[in-house]
Structure formats: structure tokens, C-alpha cells
Amino acid sequence: MTVKEIFETMEYGTAPESASEALAWIAARDGTCGNFIDGAFTTPRNTMESRNPATGELLAKVTNSGAEDVEAAVKAARKAQPKWAKIGGHWRAKYLYAIARLVQKHSRLLAVMETLDNGKPIREARDADIPLVARHFYYHAGVAQLMDEEMAGREALGVCGQIIPWNFPLLMLAWKIAPAIAAGNTVVLKPAEYTSLTALVFAEICREAGLPAGVVNIVTGDGATGQALVEADVDKIAFTGSTAVGRAIRKATAGTGKSLTLELGGKSPYIVFEDADIDSAVEGLVDAIFFNQGQVCCAGSRLLVQEGIAEDFYARLIARMSKLRVGNPLDKSIDVGAIVDPVQLDRIKGLVEKGGSEGTVHQPCGAPEGCFYPPTLITDLHSSAMLMQEEIFGPVLVATTFRTPAEAVQVANDTRYGLAASVWSENINLALDIAPKLATGVVWINGSNMFDAAAGFGGVRESGFGREGGWEGMMAYTKPSGKAVPLAPAKKHLETDKTEVLDLDRTSKLYIGGKQARPDSGYSEAVYSPKGKLLGHASLANRKDIRNAVEAARGAGGWTKATAHLRAQIIYYIGENLSARSDEFAARIVDLTGTTKGKAEAEVEGAISTLFTYAAWCDKYDSAAKPVPMRGVALAMKEPVGVIGAFCDDRPLGGLVDVIAPAIAMGNRVVAVASEAYPLAATDFYQVLDTSDVPAGVVNILTGAHEGLAAPMAGHLNVDAVWSFSSADLSKTIEIESAGNLKRTWVNYGQSRPIPSKEWLAQATEVKTVWVPYGEG
């Protein structure tokens, strides 16, 4: 092609990147790689193949690790962890800084190896993935340096098992390893079976940086290796991958005490309003869905375009898609590379063949033979169509239209996922009005695929829980300092031969939707004093009562929209009214427990103080503007979790107030199950709520057996989180049942420890990161 023809057609010429250095790295190891355990590489055995998806050629063979390999890696990590934590943040920062510098030094090798192993275009690996890998280690070097001061009272978890996917092999490694070792943990990481090579190059970087043996361990293998790591003696599992596997891990770790974070699938909406800059929105959409061949958990795979511009938008999008170049990922002029493996290619083809007939399929550019799939647009779908709901994980965009902003929000939230969203509008007021209404962990305004180590990333709903990046990400790799003590269940007092009978029978009802409600079971239980005095009867709630309470809580959404100032006023008022009846509540606590008057008065005063504390926090638990490297700002907005189900400890009043106060202070609604042994103080408390202007449904109080109510509470799909401080160890039941919609859980594993107010607040909120670029040029 002549220069004149190039200028006339504006076609790109080829610009191949040499793979010689990466292939030489593999050849120097005879094409086989072992695990990296305790600072050294093991002898390869029981190998599996790693192939170049673009050509099908064999790249290398890596160990398919068994349980014994995982055990050896965990043992090395366990041995190294105390010393690694003890050296302090400054020394950990030095190692992290050295790793960041070496990532930059070896950036070309890493980028080429990533492209060979994964099939992504070299431009993406070189210009997006590897710089962000280095950024994460630089950022977390700073976190390690500041941690002792900024995270006082928190310490490392111990040994972290980490399982990462194949779509961003090295970047996901950085997201996991950097915060873990910055906090003083040690790591056993399992890369995806398709894409292990850059993790092994990284292992050499760790050795070159002088990282102490055992701090980072890498075991390669398939799903069985991951299962062995989940079952191993680790203190935390961090997983990024499919929702189905995440659900299985939630069940497998239930009741073990292992910390868990899950970053799972998505079906992210890409919302375009009629006042948007259409050409910019089209270009952003190409990046949102065809970046990394659409194999991105937060890909903008669901296009929602306002009806008035839909026809024009589709035409411009199809014209832009027709110019996309699909082919050899090592060619720097390529836009879309290879699908990671024929298995994934077959899945994409199968889903489009099955669901494409519900709409109109557009494939304006072709794809070469092999493991490639053409960029695809499917229009004219309704929001409940199969392809609008199922994560395809390929270069396939599905589209529908909307008329009003309210309808856009409704359609956007019509999914079981909640990872990310993009909003396009030249009206910043409209965009910032929509962003908080989207049930996602990340919102990009007039942009897509913006990431940084300083800004938390993660989802809600079936997209998982936990955040990666920022100070919020560090919370998942630390725990409050100090040891927990086993809980001894309070004993119910029983009837004696000389029971004193009440002059007038009193049966306390449940408190649901701001009203006293009879239990669905029709049963109640007598409550006695230590000396056998009949104090009254407490209702026994069942699963239908939980259903009714959750419905009432869902209906109280206005509380979430209320200002922090208003919530504070009402919580102060609860404390004021409780104070006016403090003698009465203290006497009730003495009757229920047999404790001294002084201790009972202290519990009441403690409850009043708790209410005042969280009333004070209502308008002081600040969100943050993150210093991200862009012309714009990333807002870390603290939002309420939603509906929280809570099981109280055995303090008659304090256990109830402790869960209610922080939850409602942050705008949540609560279904609280009172102390099983001493429920009557809780049923007295709803009289305080009735006189304190608390809207109906914000606080709902049930009484009854905790073990019988744990499963229906945790399994309820309209409950967003479950807390348990019960002396009955409900942890395993709650964590297993929570897997249904992957709700957040916070349980005590039958132990008790002091909980600082900041931890209560963190558990009562989600962090939504809203990216807002600004400037005209």
C-alpha cells in the first residue's frame, strides 16, 4: 500500500510487537514452570498446558497443584507471617516500593507475556494493565508506611488465600497481593489455569526485590487447586470470578471464621440520555464493551439509550464498530484480540445463538478464524430478555431503550448484579441525580473503565461484597486488635414451685411496621425472674413474621432518603425518651437478670450513650474525594446497606440498642431479634420508639428462638445484610443461607470482643465510587 493510499483510506498498517523476550523467558525454563513456595521454585510435576489463544500454540507447561502443594505453600506463609507483620509498616513499604519499581523495569516482558497467555491486545496490556499494576504497589507502599498511624487499633488477619481470574491475570494479582502484604499478611495466590505465566514472572520479581521467603507464594492449577486453597488453613479467602463459584465458596467457608471478600459477575448498564455527546458516548461504549474482548466483569454490556436518540445512536455505533480491527493481539493496531480459550468462545456463541433471536443481531465487522468472536450488537431487546440478564463475558452488547430518567433507573436496576454503571449526559445535575439511585458499587459519569488504586472497586447484590483499593480495601485485610473471648449463653430462668403469678396477664407482641403484631405462630413463652416470678410472656416469631417485618422495612425507604440531620434529631429523641424512663428500664433489667441495680443502671446509661454517639455520627461519617490521577474526582460515597437483619446479644437493652443505633444512623432499616433469654426489655423499648417520631418500619423487633429464625432471616432475598451477636453460634447457618443472594454477613462465631464505633459504621454502609471527569479539554 502506498503512502497516498494510506492517507486516502486512513487504514492502519500492521505494527507487530516482538515476542522473542517472553518466549526466551519460557525457553530458559525448558518450557515448564513449578510453583513458587517459600521463596523458591519447585520442580514442575503433574503439568497442564498453557496455550496462546490467538494461535493455539503451546506456550508452556505449569504444575497442576494438588492439596499437598497448597498445604506446603500455606505452611510457608504461616511460618513467615508473624515476622512479616512485626517488621512494621516502614519496612513493608520498602519492599512494596521495590516491587513497583521492578514491575516498571520489566514492563515490556510482562505486557508481552500477558498478551501471549491471555489474548488481549498488546496496547491494552502495555498501556492499561501494567501501569496500573505498578500503581497499586506504589499506592500500597504508601499505605504500609502510614498504616500504624491511620489504622491504629487494627492488625493483619494472618494468611490470605487468593484466587484470581484469567481476564486480567497480573492486574488482579496486584489488586490482591498489594493490600494483603501491606497490612502484614502473607499470601498464597492461585492464578487462573489458563493464564498462570505472568504470576510466575511476578514471583521472580518478588525474589529480585528481596521479599522474605514465604510472604508471597504462588501455586498454579485448576479448579481443584482453588478448592484445596479454600479448604486450607488460611485466615481469609479473596476471590474474583464467577458468581456461581463465589456462591460455592461462601458455603464452603461458612462457620469457619475465615474472612471472605468476593468480586463476582456483572451486567453493567450503560445509560445514554438524549442530551449526551453522542460521538463521545459511542467511543466510550466501544471501550466499555470491547475492551479486553468484553471479558470484563464490569463491562458496559447493557446499553440503555433514550428513545428519542436511539436510531441515531445505533447507526453511529454500528458505523464505529465496522472500523474495529480484530486479529493478532501482538499487533499494536488491533482493537479486539482473542477469546481466552475455545471453551469460553463456545459459551459466547451458544448464548448468542440461544438468545439473539429475541432481538436484532448486528455484526458489522468480521473476525479471523480461530479463537476470535466478532464485536456484536443486539438491539430491540426487552429488559427481561435472556441476554439482558445473563452475563455473556464476551464482545457482545445488548440494547434496549427508555423514555424517562425514572424508567432508566428502573431498567438499570432490573438485574441480580450490581457491579458498575456508566451514565452519559451533558447535564451534570441529571447525572449526579441518577448515580445514587443505581444499585451498583461503581458509577462512571461520561466515561467507563476508570480504575485507580486510591478508589475502592467492588459490587453489591450478586456481584459480591468487599472493596479493593483505597483505605476501604484495607479494611478487608485487617481486623480489630485484641483477642475475642468465648460467649457463655445466658440461661433462661424457669418456673419454680412457688411461682408468683401476675395480677394481670401481659403478653408482649412483636413490633412490625410501627405496630404491635401478634405472632403468626400463635405461641408465646413465659419469662421468669431468677426467683421464679412470672414477668410476662414473649411472643415466638416464625418465618412469616420475618417476612412481614422485612416487607415493612422495605416499605420504609423514605428513611434512607432522609437527611442525616433529621436522622440525628430522631435518634437523639430516642435517647431522650429512654432517659426519661431509665429507672423503669433499670428495674426491668434487674427483674430479668437478677443483676445489681448499679449494673442495670449502667446498662441503661450505656444504651443512652450509644444512641447519642450514633446520632452524633449521622452527619459526621464523611464520604471522601479520592486523589486519582485524572482531571476529575472519584467520590467515595458512603451509602446505607439497606435492610439489616440482626440477632442481639444477651444484654436485655444494650444488645438491642447496639445494633439498632448504628444501623439506622446510616439510613438502614432493621429487623432485630431481641435477646432470647431476656426479651421483655426489648418489647418495652418499642414504646420508646412509638414516642420518638421513628417512622413505621424503620425498626422492627421480633422475639423468639434465635436458632429457628437464623435460616429464614439469612435466606430472605430482600434482606441485604445479617448481623449476629447471639450467644447461640448462628454463624455457619447464617453464612450458608446468605449465599442465596450473596448478602453481607457480620457474625461473631460464638465469641465476644469490643467493637469500636468506626467498625459498626463500616458494617452499616457500602462505599459507592462515583467517577466525575471535568474540564473542557
Side-chain angles (χ1 to χ4, degrees), residues 515-526:
K515 299 178 180 179
Q516 298 183 40
R518 291 185 176 85
D520 176 79
S521 68
Y523 289 98
S524 60
E525 182 178 49

Side-chain angles (χ1 to χ4, degrees), residues 264-398:
L264 308 175
K267 194 70 178 177
S268 300
Y270 190 97
I271 307 168
V272 183
F273 286 95
E274 60 190 4
D275 66 346
D277 179 335
I278 296 180
D279 288 333
S280 295
V282 166
E283 200 60 35
L285 182 54
V286 167
D287 178 59
I289 182 57
F290 302 127
F291 178 73
N292 201 33
Q293 298 72 253
Q295 298 170 133
V296 184
C297 54
C298 56
S301 56
R302 242 182 343 137
L303 171 61
L304 281 56
V305 60
Q306 198 156 15
E307 200 172 81
I309 62 167
E311 186 176 344
D312 182 25
F313 190 90
Y314 291 154
R316 296 196 207 188
L317 175 59
I318 291 169
R320 178 66 180 88
M321 289 170 62
S322 70
K323 301 296 184 182
L324 292 174
R325 296 168 61 92
V326 184
N328 176 15
L330 282 172
D331 184 344
K332 290 185 280 290
S333 69
I334 287 299
D335 299 304
V336 181
I339 303 301
V340 71
D341 189 84
V343 171
Q344 178 64 13
L345 178 63
D346 290 342
R347 182 180 184 276
I348 296 168
K349 289 179 177 178
L351 284 170
V352 173
E353 288 171 4
K354 182 179 179 181
S357 60
E358 292 187 76
T360 304
V361 178
H362 309 268
Q363 292 181 329
C365 70
E369 292 293 322
C371 205
F372 297 88
Y373 194 82
T376 300
L377 168 67
I378 305 176
T379 58
D380 306 319
L381 291 169
H382 53 86
S383 63
S384 59
M386 186 267 284
L387 293 182
M388 289 289 288
Q389 296 294 325
E390 291 298 320
E391 184 179 32
I392 301 171
F393 222 65
V396 180
L397 175 66
V398 296

Side-chain angles (χ1 to χ4, degrees), residues 407-423:
E407 185 184 359
V409 171
Q410 180 182 3
V411 176
N413 290 340
D414 183 20
T415 172
R416 65 185 186 276
Y417 297 111
L419 189 52
S422 291
V423 179

